[in-house]
Each structure stands twice: as structure tokens, then as C-alpha cells.
Amino acid sequence: ILLSIAAAIITGNLFWQQALLIAFVYVLAAAGLDILRSQAGQMSFGQGAVMGVAAYMTALATTVWKLTGPLPIVVGLVSGMAF
């Protein structure tokens, strides 16, 4: 995974950078759910809701509010934590 991310960054291909970023987000969500399910034996449906709220707010910040740089990520992070 690290080699593919490094290759996408080095080549500067925006498509692969975005595709790997989306894949990495899903890997993090799946790893968290796996730890919760296998180690603790609990079922969680809240992770999907938090991830959805954060993604929606990030998209809203970039398209409607026209925020740039790291600000949309901060908006998504704060809204996800507040949810």
C-alpha cells in the first residue's frame, strides 16, 4: 500500500492520488470495525453514520462554501466528532 501511495505522489497523477485516498479511508473504517467486532465482540452501525456526516460536511464545505486547502477536512473532522 505504501509503495502504491508513494508511486501516485511521485508521478503526480491526480486520479491515482484520489483513488488511493478513497481506498485508504475505507481501509481505516474497515480496520476500526474489525477491531470492534473481533476484539470486543460488539456490533456497531455508528461508524457509517459518523463517516457519512463527515463526508457530507466536507463536500458541502468544498462545493457550497468554496473553502480550500485543509479547511474542508477540518470541517469534516469537527462535524464527525460532534456527531
Side-chain angles (χ1 to χ4, degrees), residues 11-65:
T11 60
N13 190 344
L14 187 61
F15 170 76
W16 287 110
Q17 288 177 2
Q18 290 175 344
L20 289 172
L21 180 65
I22 291 170
F24 185 67
V25 167
Y26 283 125
V27 164
L28 283 177
L33 190 59
D34 180 52
I35 289 172
L36 184 68
R37 183 80 175 131
S38 64
Q39 304 273 327
Q42 297 176 352
M43 190 73 151
S44 173
F45 297 109
Q47 284 181 321
V50 171
M51 192 171 151
V53 167
Y56 180 77
M57 290 302 292
T58 303
L60 188 69
T62 57
T63 57
V64 176
W65 300 336

